[in-house]
Amino acid sequence: MPSNPANVCFHVRPGGALKGRLRVPGDKSISHRSIMLGAIAEGVTRISGFLEGEDSLATLNAFRAMGVAIEGPEAGKVTVQGVGLHGLKAPSGPLDLGNSGTSMRLLSGLLAGQQFDVELIGDYSLMGRPMRRVTEPLAAMGAQIGTTPQGTAPLRITGGRGLKAIDYPMPVASAQVKSCLLLAGLYADGRTCVTEPAPTRDHTERMLQGMGYAVDVNGATRCLESGGNLHAVNIDVPADISSAAFFLVGASIAPGSDLLLEHVGINPTRTGVIKILRLMGADIELLNGREIGGEPVADLRVRSAKLHGIDIPLEQVPLAIDEFPALFIAAACAEGRTILTGAEELRVKESDRIQVMADGLRALGVKAEATPDGMIIDGGSIGGGHVDSQGDHRIAMSFAMAALRAAGPIRIDDCANVDTSFPGFVQHAATVGLGIDHGVPVITIDGPSGSGKGTVSRLVAQQLGFHFLDSGALYRILALAAHQRDIGLDDEAALADLCRSLDIRFPAAVEQEQVLLEGQDVSDQIRSEAAGAGASRVAALPKVRQALLERQRDFRIAPGLVADGRDMGTVVFPDAEAKIFLTASAEERAKRRCKQLKEKGMDLVYSDVLADIAARDERDSSRAVAPLRPAADAELLDTTNLDIEAAVAAARRLIKKYLNR
Ligand code: DC
């Protein structure tokens, strides 16, 4: 059902401000390490905030293949049953690490000291990346690792080799090489030391220390002794400062912004972006500083500020290398000239970030000049237009933020990769106020039952030729399926699993209301009072709502979607183009319900129905998860005195304000 990923593009409306609070996805480097070190620790490591991207999942699957029991990930939660330093088992085949260089380089060190043979492979691109930088020093420790003649994977590691501790001055500054050798050092005879020519990310050292394993830090040298043990801890993975960076820039440049970015990792090897933005005049406060699993964490409050151009200090460049696409947007909005030098590495990232950013900025009318190792940007106004991200996720997200100060809408092409590094970016950004969507329009129609939303939504969808999502039906189907399988309506975990696995289809035209569950027509069954009551119970369970979230978003397919429910505009499609909240007085809704029941041959007392509706309203609007309430940007439509035809016409008029339909 999801649209072709190759065609993912962002449409961003100009203007707006970023407000509220946001927790961006977990740090990738720390997510990898939490699995690796959790696996070889003694005891159970409970991870939350885990980044569910392909790379960290490759690490997770590798350890599962080596006999480590790992539950999850589910909504960022993973439980790792540590097997201790010597408890890993030989996998039954090669370990496929996908596209993840971090997994391959760190695992080569960790696995060089095991008793079993293992082969590391990856996708086409990973198999072409240089591995000698790790295999050579590992060979100096006595490891036996076969590579291709070019020094690339597959890496064939022979087990049972006793490793010797070494003292290694790294020729290039690389956190992956340093981490690889420290992990090998856990299995070597004595004290392994690594010296780095320039500071690199120190997440491995910090997590080792956080798990009670001593690492001596002395200037640029890190040493550890073998023979210790790691002790499991709970790790709430800090939010990735590289993902937070887009919002630091967005809130800084958009007038009226005030945004709290929660639980962000502020490891000093990563905070160049904060330093550079502050030098440009940004208003960023670090609140509630704390330490999690050895890593410093804080909530970042960022308010809009008048920025000015600067010469970016050379020593900050390596500490902000991934954040330059976002920083270039800040520079484009700053007064005066910003000059970056010493950043030639940007040319060999996921794209040539100097050239691609310069091209994109110029397409939006910004004066930007690419130089061999940086960029010169004269701040001023930003126009609307069309930018090609060249498949580079950070470039796509950076230009999305530029729209906050643009004179017209910005369309960004080739954005599919955003979801790997920042799952849910569009929804997160829309929730805090960015006018972003995928170009497939969604109209949300929320409201209490009896407001007429089901009928109005179907008719609107039919008239526009849009798809239709009856989200209430999903909750009803779940209740029915649970009943059929004897799953208790309070068994949250089992219900959430069931949500993910059910085969649900709406095969017919919108007006036919046909629903198939596992191929069976359940259209009538789900409309029973029992299914309705069951739906109301399962709808109150947070894990069920979470599990249904992606399934509901999958309905967003061209040419458009009308989504009917309770939380369509607030939670499921916060970036919807048009949002309507239908209401009607409780008395009118009770009257409609009595009439409906009478048609079904049931005669109920009006006052009972009214009392029931009032109680349901109270329950729905006061529940903790996704309570029934209009989105801040929803149009209210009271249908108390409207018949269906008039209600549909009124809804169409409201939609027309936002969509040319
Ligand atoms: O709209 P309906 O009566 O078919 O909904 C069935 C139940 O599901 C109802 O109790 C409300 C709940 N629901 C919800 O919580 N969120 C939605 N988006 C849709 C329905």
Side-chain angles (χ1 to χ4, degrees), residues 446-449 453 470-476 526-527 531-540 545 552 564-568 572 616 619-620 623 625-626:
D446 287 306
S449 54
K453 80 191 152 57
D470 173 1
S471 59
L474 298 178
Y475 290 96
R476 287 170 179 268
I526 63 159
R527 297 291 155 207
S536 163
R537 283 183 61 189
V538 298
R545 301 201 78 92
Q552 296 177 93
D564 151 5
R566 305 291 193 285
D567 60 344
M568 297 297 100
V572 182
R616 205 150 12 134
R619 208 169 46 230
D620 283 352
R623 73 175 172 219
V625 278

Side-chain angles (χ1 to χ4, degrees), residues 76-150:
K77 292 203 166 34
V78 181
T79 307
V80 183
Q81 309 280 343
V83 296
L85 273 173
H86 302 285
L88 295 176
K89 298 202 173 64
S92 58
L95 298 178
D96 185 349
L97 303 169
N99 188 241
S100 177
T102 304
S103 307
M104 188 166 280
R105 296 202 178 106
L106 270 59
L107 279 183
S108 64
L110 179 57
L111 298 180
Q114 305 297 326
Q115 292 305 311
F116 50 83
D117 297 350
V118 58
E119 182 177 347
L120 305 183
I121 59 171
D123 68 8
Y124 182 77
S125 137
L126 181 57
M127 302 282 265
R129 279 158 69 185
M131 292 294 149
R132 281 208 182 100
R133 58 184 66 184
V134 290
T135 57
E136 283 177 354
L138 286 172
M141 294 176 80
Q144 190 176 342
I145 305 182
T147 65
T148 65
Q150 294 74 38

Side-chain angles (χ1 to χ4, degrees), residues 335-350:
E335 195 177 305
R337 176 169 281 194
T338 297
I339 303 176
L340 171 69
T341 52
E344 49 280 283
E345 200 191 325
L346 286 179
R347 291 201 177 268
V348 291
K349 291 283 183 178
E350 282 86 331

Side-chain angles (χ1 to χ4, degrees), residues 261-301:
L261 294 160
E262 296 169 327
H263 199 76
V264 180
I266 49 162
N267 183 306
T269 60
R270 304 282 300 279
T271 46
V273 62
I274 296 180
K275 297 217 174 74
I276 293 170
L277 280 171
R278 279 180 167 163
L279 287 173
M280 297 176 79
D283 177 359
I284 301 171
E285 267 182 280
L286 272 50
L287 306 171
N288 195 13
R290 53 212 185 263
E291 199 167 293
I292 307 282
E295 291 281 345
V297 168
D299 302 324
L300 309 185
R301 181 177 183 186

Side-chain angles (χ1 to χ4, degrees), residues 56-407:
S56 30
L57 290 174
T59 292
L60 188 152
N61 288 328
F63 281 91
R64 267 199 186 129
M66 291 188 283
V68 182
I70 303 178
E71 286 162 46
E74 192 188 307
K77 292 203 166 34
V78 181
T79 307
V80 183
Q81 309 280 343
V83 296
L85 273 173
H86 302 285
L88 295 176
K89 298 202 173 64
S92 58
L95 298 178
D96 185 349
L97 303 169
N99 188 241
S100 177
T102 304
S103 307
M104 188 166 280
R105 296 202 178 106
L106 270 59
L107 279 183
S108 64
L110 179 57
L111 298 180
Q114 305 297 326
Q115 292 305 311
F116 50 83
D117 297 350
V118 58
E119 182 177 347
L120 305 183
I121 59 171
D123 68 8
Y124 182 77
S125 137
L126 181 57
M127 302 282 265
R129 279 158 69 185
M131 292 294 149
R132 281 208 182 100
R133 58 184 66 184
V134 290
T135 57
E136 283 177 354
L138 286 172
M141 294 176 80
Q144 190 176 342
I145 305 182
T147 65
T148 65
Q150 294 74 38
T152 56
L155 302 185
R156 296 201 176 88
I157 303 175
T158 306
R161 315 266 307 176
L163 297 185
K164 297 192 297 284
I166 55 167
D167 191 338
Y168 187 66
M170 286 197 294
V172 287
S174 160
Q176 291 178 351
V177 176
K178 173 178 64 174
S179 300
C180 163
L181 298 179
L182 290 176
L183 292 176
L186 296 172
Y187 296 91
D189 62 344
R191 185 174 171 86
T192 298
C193 293
V194 186
T195 302
E196 49 189 11
T200 64
R201 297 181 181 189
D202 60 357
H203 302 300
T204 305
E205 299 94 294
R206 284 175 182 268
M207 197 177 291
L208 283 167
Q209 288 164 330
M211 290 188 162
Y213 206 107
V215 181
D216 292 339
V217 176
N218 195 348
T221 302
R222 311 279 177 269
C223 299
L224 59 73
E225 301 273 351
S226 59
N229 273 318
L230 294 167
H231 301 287
V233 290
N234 293 340
I235 301 173
D236 188 5
V237 176
D240 195 331
I241 191 166
S242 297
S243 298
F246 306 107
F247 293 91
L248 291 175
V249 168
S252 295
I253 62 174
S257 295
D258 186 351
L259 187 66
L260 190 72
L261 294 160
E262 296 169 327
H263 199 76
V264 180
I266 49 162
N267 183 306
T269 60
R270 304 282 300 279
T271 46
V273 62
I274 296 180
K275 297 217 174 74
I276 293 170
L277 280 171
R278 279 180 167 163
L279 287 173
M280 297 176 79
D283 177 359
I284 301 171
E285 267 182 280
L286 272 50
L287 306 171
N288 195 13
R290 53 212 185 263
E291 199 167 293
I292 307 282
E295 291 281 345
V297 168
D299 302 324
L300 309 185
R301 181 177 183 186
V302 51
R303 282 174 279 194
S304 44
K306 209 166 157 34
L307 302 184
H308 52 83
I310 57 166
D311 284 2
I312 294 173
L314 265 182
E315 75 276 9
Q316 292 302 328
V317 171
L319 309 182
I321 197 74
D322 288 334
E323 287 70 65
F324 281 110
L327 286 167
F328 292 154
I329 301 298
C333 298
E335 195 177 305
R337 176 169 281 194
T338 297
I339 303 176
L340 171 69
T341 52
E344 49 280 283
E345 200 191 325
L346 286 179
R347 291 201 177 268
V348 291
K349 291 283 183 178
E350 282 86 331
S351 71
D352 175 345
R353 285 187 173 154
I354 292 177
Q355 198 56 50
V356 178
M357 282 301 300
D359 291 346
L361 285 168
R362 281 205 297 265
L364 301 178
V366 177
K367 234 179 120 206
E369 185 194 330
T371 61
D373 65 344
M375 182 112 74
I376 301 170
I377 298 175
D378 288 309
S381 56
I382 300 183
H386 168 208
V387 171
D388 188 345
S389 76
Q390 306 259 348
D392 188 325
H393 55 126
R394 295 202 195 282
I395 290 184
M397 291 185 270
S398 300
F399 279 112
M401 292 298 160
L404 289 159
R405 281 278 288 274

